[in-house]
């Protein structure tokens, strides 16, 4: 591979990795990450018991993170590093996809735009599986394009389809909603119009992936209520998407979307065969065909009708382009989830279609490439000035968001502050009450905070059991100071503790979705 081609892939990946590592330990763990770290910290023998109560659909990720924790510990750097690596991998493969569909420049710009988007950095620094799913979805799309657009010996055609199946199944086991990409891939195939064998191979591959994921989907149905918090999509969802992807900056939103529209409005594929042309008639002589820059045909070439027919054969017009790949990928998975959410139980949440951001970057990268190709013949320095200007706008107007997402309080809640408050104010022997019982996961990511405390007296055995009101009353009677770690609202044992006349609350701290209260026995 020539050096310039390696730069197309490696350059954006290195930038994505650098941004992923930049202050990766700055933000505190938040509730979802606390679950990841807490479960990864347990033994594999404990996993079946925990997953029977919650997050069965995320079990594979917890197993992977368990081995990371066993080797590297549970620091923010160690637990978030897999996501940073996955983001770099996704960026590299996206650049390869842009290069394959259009040009090396399009691949380079797509990778750079993707790496610079705030939402990409946000999930590159999160101990959850969404960056890994994105990397697999970008890989699956690349494998699909590579397989159906290549003329392969039938003896070896099964290999990329087998890889495609494995990647899809792995993504489904990491997150079931990843398989919403399959309808998008079906639309890509419809656009490509492959031979019957191509359809058969894809249907078999997708079907096998579905069969491999089916046991998880069936088992996880019993836990569907755990996502009942997902709101029904509305206009607020659109505003949230703009804030999440672009850091809420209107200039960045307009710039990237405008470039994406340009990238999606052109039909040129990598060969550049007469997809943008204009017949010019002079005062004398035959018509001439004006080919866009980068075409394999000469600019202002004089062609007869037969040559024109060859240049515009149906086979070439059906070649995959940025538009035929990026548009379904961008719209179909999220669109289907929104449609289902509007007529049934809501299942759409922006991070569940994080991989579609790669499609947006692919379209925007192609848009820059098209603008550069158009301007190159008019401005000698356009090949450098236009990409530099576009990327500078993105960096400047998303920079504040990049800084903000690396602050300690940038996540939905701050488990580090909760843990440090508990550590700095607790006395040896103080008891801890978790409400609900699963809130032990809120303190375990920072275990020093509870090292000297009694976490057993007020909590039932097991991971999710709670003491009955009578048991809590008797257990609290033997204690002098009690810390209550609660969710956003108090209920159950938390309300009983607050109303217990034997105790008074002498301290209260709020960490958005988590509350911390200190109760002290009333002197007699």
């Amino acid at each position: 591979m020539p050096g310039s081609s390696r730069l197309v892939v490696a350059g954006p990946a290195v930038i994505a990795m650098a941004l992923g590592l930049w202050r990766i330990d700055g933000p505190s763990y938040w509730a979802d990450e606390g679950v990841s770290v807490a479960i990864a910290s347990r033994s594999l023998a404990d996993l079946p018991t925990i997953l029977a109560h919650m997050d069965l659909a995320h079990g594979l990720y917890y197993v992977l993170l368990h081995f990371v924790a066993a080797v590297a510990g549970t620091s923010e750097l160690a637990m978030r590093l897999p996501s940073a690596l996955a983001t770099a991998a996704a960026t590299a493969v996206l650049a390869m996809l842009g290069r394959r569909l259009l040009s090396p420049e399009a691949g380079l710009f797509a990778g750079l735009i993707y790496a610079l988007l705030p939402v990409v950095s946000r999930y590159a620094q999160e101990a959850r599986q969404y960056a890994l799913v994105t990397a697999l979805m970008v890989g699956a799309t690349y494998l699909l394009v590579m397989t159906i657009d290549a003329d392969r010996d039938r003896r070896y055609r099964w290999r990329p389809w087998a890889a495609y199946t494995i990647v899809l199944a792995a993504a489904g086991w990491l997150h079931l909603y990843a398989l919403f990409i399959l309808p998008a891939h079906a639309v890509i195939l419809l656009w490509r119009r492959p031979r019957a064998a191509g359809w058969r191979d894809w249907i078999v591959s997708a079907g096998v992936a579905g069969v491999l994921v089916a046991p998880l989907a069936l088992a996880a149905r019993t836990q569907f209520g755990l996502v009942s918090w997902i709101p029904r999509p509305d206009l607020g969802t659109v505003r949230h998407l703009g804030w999440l992807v672009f850091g809420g900056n209107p200039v960045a939103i307009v710039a990237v979307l405008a470039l994406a529209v340009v990238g999606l409005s052109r039909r040129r594929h990598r060969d550049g065969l007469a997809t943008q042309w204009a017949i010019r008639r002079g005062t004398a002589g035959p018509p001439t065909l004006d080919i866009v820059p980068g075409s394999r045909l000469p600019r202002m070439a004089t062609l007869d009708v037969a040559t024109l027919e060859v240049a515009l054969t149906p086979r070439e017009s059906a070649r995959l382009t940025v538009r035929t790949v990026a548009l379904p990928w961008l719209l179909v998975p999220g669109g289907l989830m929104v449609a289902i959410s509007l007529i049934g139980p809501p299942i759409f949440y922006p991070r569940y279609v994080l991989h579609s951001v790669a499609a947006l970057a692919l379209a925007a990268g192609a848009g820059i490439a098209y603008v550069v190709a158009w301007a190159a013949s008019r401005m000698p320095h356009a090949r450098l000035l236009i990409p530099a200007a576009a990327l500078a706008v993105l960096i400047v107007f998303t920079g504040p968001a990049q800084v903000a997402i690396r602050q300690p309080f940038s996540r939905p809640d701050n488990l580090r502050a909760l843990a440090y408050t508990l550590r700095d104010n607790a006395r040896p022997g103080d008891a801890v009450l978790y409400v609900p019982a699963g809130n032990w996961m809120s303190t375990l990511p920072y275990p020093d905070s509870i090292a000297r405390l009694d976490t057993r007296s007020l909590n039932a055995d097991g991971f999710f059991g709670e003491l009955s009101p009578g048991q809590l009353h008797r257990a609290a009677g033997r204690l002098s100071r009690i810390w209550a770690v609660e969710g956003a609202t108090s209920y159950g044992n938390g309300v009983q503790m607050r109303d217990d006349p034997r105790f008074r609350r002498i301290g209260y701290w709020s960490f958005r979705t988590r509350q911390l209260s200190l109760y002290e026995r009333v002197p007699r």
Side-chain angles (χ1 to χ4, degrees):
M1 182 185 295
S4 59
S5 295
R6 287 195 294 268
L7 179 62
V8 166
V9 176
V14 169
I15 292 174
M17 190 68 195
L19 288 173
L21 292 176
W22 174 37
R23 296 194 64 187
I24 193 171
D25 58 351
S28 164
Y29 285 135
W30 68 288
D32 282 13
E33 288 185 294
V35 172
S36 297
V37 177
I39 296 178
S41 303
R42 311 300 302 186
S43 69
L44 290 178
D46 290 334
L47 281 183
T49 302
I50 296 174
L51 296 180
H53 287 83
M54 62 177 294
D55 283 1
L56 178 60
H58 307 324
L60 176 61
Y61 177 71
Y62 295 146
V63 171
L64 295 175
L65 211 60
H66 169 82
F67 291 108
V68 174
V71 174
T74 59
S75 67
E76 286 98 343
L77 172 60
M79 294 288 91
R80 291 168 174 166
L81 185 59
S83 294
L85 291 170
T87 298
T91 306
V93 179
L94 181 65
M96 293 167 59
L97 183 59
R99 181 181 63 188
R100 185 178 190 92
L101 290 172
L102 183 59
S103 68
E105 292 82 1
L108 177 65
F109 301 147
L112 290 174
I113 290 172
Y114 182 73
L116 293 172
L117 288 175
V119 68
V120 175
S121 292
R122 164 70 172 79
Y123 286 98
Q125 297 185 341
E126 177 145 314
R128 298 296 281 177
Q129 69 268 48
Y130 304 109
L132 279 71
V133 172
T134 296
L136 291 171
M137 292 296 90
V138 175
T141 304
Y142 181 82
L143 285 168
L144 178 73
V145 170
M146 180 186 71
T147 303
I148 66 176
D149 237 6
D151 295 324
R152 293 182 174 274
D153 189 317
R154 290 291 302 170
R155 293 174 298 174
Y156 306 108
R157 191 179 180 89
W158 64 271
R159 294 178 179 175
W161 282 119
Y164 176 78
T165 302
I166 293 170
V167 169
L168 280 178
W173 272 85
L174 284 173
H175 201 283
L176 288 170
Y177 293 166
L179 295 188
F180 273 96
I181 201 172
L182 285 174
H185 285 180
V187 174
I188 293 172
L189 280 166
L190 285 170
W191 230 320
R192 174 62 172 84
R193 302 194 301 273
R195 298 183 180 91
W199 274 109
R200 183 191 63 223
D201 292 343
W202 179 78
I203 291 172
V204 169
S205 297
V208 170
V211 169
L212 292 174
V213 176
L216 176 64
L218 293 173
R221 285 187 308 167
T222 58
Q223 297 181 357
F224 189 77
L226 295 176
V227 293
S228 60
W229 55 266
I230 297 177
R232 201 171 297 279
D234 54 19
L235 291 179
T237 306
V238 177
R239 291 193 295 270
H240 177 61
L241 275 172
W243 178 88
L244 182 66
V245 177
F246 303 99
N249 188 281
V251 176
I253 294 173
V254 171
V256 174
L257 291 182
L259 288 170
V261 168
V262 173
L264 294 172
S265 65
R266 308 294 288 270
R267 294 189 297 175
R268 178 183 167 201
H269 52 67
R270 189 175 188 275
D271 292 340
L273 285 174
T275 53
Q276 296 242 321
W277 52 277
I279 296 179
R280 296 184 178 181
R281 294 185 181 275
T283 55
T288 58
L289 187 68
D290 189 6
I291 308 298
V292 296
S295 171
R296 292 182 180 178
L297 298 178
R299 184 175 178 82
M300 298 301 294
T302 301
L303 302 176
D304 56 22
V305 174
T307 306
L308 180 60
E309 289 176 350
V310 170
L312 297 175
T313 58
R315 175 176 173 78
E316 290 297 340
S317 66
R319 287 289 298 275
L320 288 176
T321 66
V322 168
R323 179 167 68 177
T324 58
V325 173
L327 193 58
W329 186 6
L330 179 63
L331 298 179
V332 173
L336 280 176
M337 295 178 71
V338 167
I340 293 171
S341 299
L342 291 175
I343 62 177
I347 62 171
F348 175 82
Y349 204 68
R351 62 176 178 249
Y352 296 164
V353 288
L354 178 64
H355 57 85
S356 291
V357 175
L360 177 65
L362 177 63
I368 296 181
Y370 283 133
V371 172
V372 169
W374 173 83
S377 61
R378 296 163 176 80
M379 295 183 293
H381 301 296
R383 290 188 179 278
L384 292 177
L385 292 179
I386 292 177
L391 295 174
V393 167
L394 188 60
I395 292 171
V396 169
F397 289 99
T398 62
Q402 291 280 9
V403 174
I405 61 177
R406 290 166 170 81
Q407 301 305 308
F409 285 89
S410 62
R411 301 302 191 252
D413 41 48
N414 191 328
L415 298 188
R416 183 192 297 156
L418 185 154
Y420 288 178
T421 300
L422 189 57
R423 181 196 64 188
D424 295 341
N425 293 277
R427 300 173 185 172
D430 284 0
V432 180
L433 170 66
Y434 294 115
V435 183
N439 253 344
W440 61 270
M441 298 182 183
S442 297
T443 56
L444 196 60
Y446 301 98
D448 290 347
S449 64
I450 56 173
R452 303 176 301 163
L453 305 183
D454 175 10
T455 60
R456 293 184 176 273
S457 295
L458 300 179
N459 303 287
D461 293 336
F463 300 110
F464 301 98
E466 295 185 0
L467 297 180
S468 67
Q471 290 174 323
L472 178 62
H473 183 82
R474 289 190 295 272
R478 299 188 293 269
L479 302 169
S480 59
R481 284 169 45 108
I482 297 173
W483 292 87
V485 180
E486 301 178 79
T489 57
S490 296
Y491 66 93
N493 285 350
V495 174
Q496 180 178 337
M497 191 68 241
R498 187 183 61 196
D499 295 340
D500 193 327
R502 299 172 298 173
F503 291 85
R504 63 182 178 183
R505 186 162 70 176
I506 62 171
Y508 173 78
W509 299 262
S510 176
F511 307 96
R512 298 180 184 168
T513 67
R514 293 294 182 271
Q515 302 177 75
L516 183 63
S517 299
L518 172 60
Y519 295 92
E520 187 176 68
R521 180 176 290 279
V522 176
R524 294 181 179 179

